[in-house]
Each structure stands twice: as structure tokens, then as C-alpha cells.
Amino acid sequence: HVQLVESGGGLVQPGGSLNLSCAATGKTNVLNCMGWFRQAPGKEREGVAVITRIHGGTEYADSVKGRFIISRDSSKMTWSLQMNNLKPEDTAMYYCAAVTGCSLTPWLRDPGNKSGPMNWGQGTQVTVS
């Protein structure tokens, strides 16, 4: 059993920055792919950034490339999303996620493209206004 706990988020003006963090507890040794997804009102959940636990390979949604940075601490099973130059269209509920196996690009495009159960955080609101 895996639990994901998020922190960070909040209200920020356009051009500002926020940092989101996620910590995994429980049977974390089976997790090899971690990431962030978001869902705006009336829209489907979409991938933002994903990373592999061992090698640290990353993939980003085109909409956030050059502005967001995902990183991880494999020893602590934590990962973060540094969000810079935030825009109103970044407003959404942000969810951290982790799975046993994935190919980064397919998982980013569709969270169902993975191996093993999907583990989600509770979500944290990011509002850019």
C-alpha cells in the first residue's frame, strides 16, 4: 500500500513561482515513475511533468517546458515541481502520482499507460490570478 502526501500550492500572481512537493510512504520500493498531473474545471486531467526514480529521466508537457522543473530525491521518495513564470492557464488542481512502471512519454500523455496500480495524491490547488 502506497500513500502520497502533497504540500505547496496556493494563490500567486501571473509571473510568480510556486513549489509543490510530494512524499511517498508505504511500499515505495516498487515505485519507478513519479510525476505531476493537473485538472482544471471542465477539463480532463493532463500530464504536466514526469520523472523516473532511478535515472532521473524527465518529460514535460509542451505548455510548461522551460517554466517548470521536476526533481526527485530517490532516497527519501520525494519529488517536487518548481513552477516559474506562472500563467492564469496554469490554474488547476495539481495531483502527484506514482506507478510501478511506465514509459515516460506515454504516461505523460495518458496516466492509464503504466504498469501496476495508479497511486494519486489528494490534490493541491494552484491559482494564478
Side-chain angles (χ1 to χ4, degrees), residues 40-61:
K43 295 187 177 181
E44 293 187 355
R45 192 170 297 191
E46 63 175 359
V48 177
V50 293
I51 190 168
T52 59
R53 179 175 65 89
I54 296 176
H55 299 294
T58 59
E59 286 289 344
Y60 294 90

Side-chain angles (χ1 to χ4, degrees), residues 54-104:
I54 296 176
H55 299 294
T58 59
E59 286 289 344
Y60 294 90
D62 289 342
S63 59
V64 307
K65 282 181 181 177
R67 300 189 297 122
F68 290 12
I69 301 172
I70 187 171
S71 60
R72 93 276 187 244
D73 184 331
S74 298
S75 63
K76 298 179 180 179
M77 275 310 292
T78 60
W79 57 102
S80 298
L81 185 69
Q82 176 65 38
M83 304 184 292
N84 302 316
N85 189 22
L86 282 160
K87 304 176 180 181
E89 51 264 42
D90 294 317
T91 296
M93 186 71 77
Y94 283 71
Y95 299 88
C96 66
V99 294
T100 300
C102 78
S103 292
L104 287 182

Side-chain angles (χ1 to χ4, degrees), residues 8-63:
L11 174 65
V12 65
Q13 294 182 343
S17 298
L18 283 174
N19 186 273
L20 306 181
S21 294
C22 187
T25 60
K27 198 176 180 182
T28 61
N29 61 309
V30 301
L31 302 175
N32 292 295
C33 300
M34 301 93 78
W36 294 92
F37 295 76
R38 68 186 181 187
Q39 188 167 19
K43 295 187 177 181
E44 293 187 355
R45 192 170 297 191
E46 63 175 359
V48 177
V50 293
I51 190 168
T52 59
R53 179 175 65 89
I54 296 176
H55 299 294
T58 59
E59 286 289 344
Y60 294 90
D62 289 342
S63 59

